[in-house]
Amino acid sequence: MELIDDDGDLLGVVNVVDALVVLLVLAVGVAGVALVFSDDPEPEPNLDSTYATLDMGTQPAYIVDAINEGDTYSPNDVSTMTVTDVHLTPRGNDIGVTLRVALEGELENDGSIAYGDAPLRLGRSLSLNTDRYTLDGRIRAVGDGDALDREETTVVLRDTLATADAEDVSPGDEVRLAGRTVATIRNVTQFATNDPDRRRVFVAATLRTHRQSGDQRFGGNPVRRGQNVRLSTADYTINGRIERVGGELQLGSASTRTVTLRMDDVREDMADALEPGMVEEAGGDTVARVTAVDTRPSLIIATGDNGSVNVVDHPIDREVTLTTELQVRETVSGPRFKGEPLRQGETVTIDLGTVTVRATVVNVSG
């Protein structure tokens, strides 16, 4: 049998032209399938990176213990978050966490970076999910630099503590969170109060702060006068008000005032214990000195047997007038002694070692 007969059929069955058309269609189909299922890789995405500051809010200690520089998370194939800096501050019973992170993502046509398929906008919430913990935080800043803008800021705090706690406060004490030092006690001065079980303390402390929106912040709040700061160690907790930002602890070194104090109805044995030359010291400085003591019997009104009314000396109680030299700080509102206003009629407390005096201010002179 001839391959192509006189009618142009292949093997006497299929027309040659028809066969060529079928082969052409098959070739085009095979080429299309090969194109669809080819192993040629798609173009690599154009990636870039930047840094951001994330406020993670307050977290319990067991979570904070697990957070470290170098922790990473990838929400998709082209985005990666890496922790580059960790900042901790006390916030109540929990710990405030602020992170600096490196963010890698796809570079958009407008030059911005898409992390997790969305732009990096201030306030946007980002997740950090590792094999040890899960956190959510909000973007507070975006820009260059792998570290937070941090400083050491010295403040003077004022608080009233139980006497035993006040005696535990010492220069060099460190406040640590998750193994990181966040504050250091530099100096401390304590004074007696009207309550023998309580002491007023002034503490100079160095805080590890970070700058956010132009403010130095600690414990989630701006560091400024009047703001409260909480510092906890294993032995005590100071929840003090900031009296001053910057400088050293300077109490009782500005000037000396002569102050007349009076006490009424003082027991005779206590009155006899007061002598000129007695002093109160704090931090090695003399903050109060008794220069003169005037004691006389308290007066009482007694009724005689005949009904007469007489003013007589009390057999036991005494009226005591003390002349003292007090170390004060001069302010625009007047002198302050131990951080309190020193005004006529106010009550001051002086710890003279063997006796504690609680007396009324009669006169303040230069």
Side-chain angles (χ1 to χ4, degrees):
M1 178 181 294
E2 293 181 357
L3 183 61
I4 300 176
D5 60 16
D6 294 338
D7 295 329
D9 293 332
L10 182 64
L11 299 177
V13 177
V14 180
N15 185 273
V16 173
V17 175
D18 293 338
L20 290 175
V21 171
V22 171
L23 290 175
L24 179 61
V25 172
L26 289 175
V28 172
V30 171
V33 172
L35 179 63
V36 172
F37 292 97
S38 68
D39 293 331
D40 292 339
E42 294 189 8
E44 291 289 335
N46 189 11
L47 302 180
D48 201 354
S49 62
T50 189
Y51 295 93
T53 298
L54 300 182
D55 185 349
M56 316 306 289
T58 57
Q59 303 295 333
Y62 70 89
I63 291 290
V64 178
D65 286 338
I67 302 173
N68 286 295
E69 290 84 351
D71 291 349
T72 61
Y73 168 62
S74 296
N76 56 33
D77 294 338
V78 295
S79 299
T80 302
M81 176 191 299
T82 303
V83 177
T84 60
D85 198 5
V86 179
H87 180 73
L88 308 177
T89 56
R91 296 190 194 176
N93 295 324
D94 289 328
I95 301 171
V97 180
T98 303
L99 303 180
R100 190 69 171 173
V101 296
L103 298 175
E104 184 179 62
E106 191 166 1
L107 187 63
E108 301 288 274
N109 294 331
D110 61 359
S112 64
I113 295 175
Y115 174 84
D117 300 326
L120 296 172
R121 299 189 180 96
L122 297 181
R124 177 186 169 189
S125 179
L126 297 183
S127 296
L128 174 58
N129 301 326
T130 72
D131 57 356
R132 292 169 295 156
Y133 60 84
T134 297
L135 292 177
D136 292 306
R138 293 193 177 275
I139 298 177
R140 295 295 182 229
V142 178
D144 297 330
D146 61 356
L148 293 162
D149 184 5
R150 282 192 272 196
E151 294 181 12
E152 290 193 346
T153 305
T154 300
V155 298
V156 176
L157 304 175
R158 169 184 171 175
D159 196 10
T160 301
L161 302 178
T163 299
D165 290 341
E167 292 174 349
D168 285 335
V169 183
S170 301
D173 290 350
E174 292 186 343
V175 179
R176 297 176 63 82
L177 299 174
R180 303 169 189 262
T181 299
V182 299
T184 303
I185 305 299
R186 298 184 58 177
N187 204 351
V188 59
T189 299
Q190 56 176 289
F191 301 107
T193 67
N194 291 330
D195 184 348
D197 295 326
R198 308 282 291 176
R199 305 282 288 184
R200 181 174 298 113
V201 297
F202 289 84
V203 174
T206 298
L207 311 179
R208 275 62 169 180
T209 62
H210 83 284
R211 185 171 294 278
Q212 180 178 310
S213 302
D215 291 323
Q216 289 297 324
R217 304 179 73 86
F218 183 85
N221 298 311
V223 178
R224 57 172 64 112
R225 185 178 179 186
Q227 190 66 253
N228 278 5
V229 170
R230 179 185 175 93
L231 302 177
S232 294
T233 70
D235 300 317
Y236 57 83
T237 295
I238 296 172
N239 193 8
R241 187 184 69 186
I242 297 179
E243 293 287 309
R244 188 168 67 253
V245 178
E248 297 295 331
L249 181 60
Q250 296 177 344
L251 298 171
S253 61
S255 67
T256 301
R257 292 289 193 111
T258 299
V259 181
T260 303
L261 306 174
R262 188 180 67 205
M263 295 184 293
D264 296 321
D265 301 326
V266 180
R267 287 170 41 197
E268 184 177 14
D269 56 348
M270 180 177 176
D272 292 341
L274 297 171
E275 299 177 351
M278 301 180 76
V279 298
E280 176 179 348
E281 294 184 342
D285 296 325
T286 298
V287 298
R289 181 184 300 275
V290 178
T291 59
V293 179
D294 180 58
T295 302
R296 59 188 64 187
S298 298
L299 300 178
I300 59 174
I301 298 176
T303 303
D305 294 338
N306 59 359
S308 62
V309 177
N310 303 294
V311 178
V312 298
D313 293 342
H314 195 286
I316 298 176
D317 291 345
R318 299 291 181 262
E319 178 185 291
V320 180
T321 300
L322 301 177
T323 303
T324 63
E325 293 180 351
L326 305 184
Q327 301 295 322
V328 301
R329 288 191 61 81
E330 303 291 347
T331 70
V332 293
S333 60
R336 300 178 74 89
F337 177 62
K338 299 182 181 179
E340 297 290 344
L342 186 63
R343 303 189 185 101
Q344 187 175 357
E346 299 284 351
T347 300
V348 300
T349 301
I350 303 176
D351 185 355
L352 299 174
T354 57
V355 61
T356 298
V357 171
R358 298 176 182 86
T360 301
V361 177
V362 177
N363 182 63
V364 180
S365 60

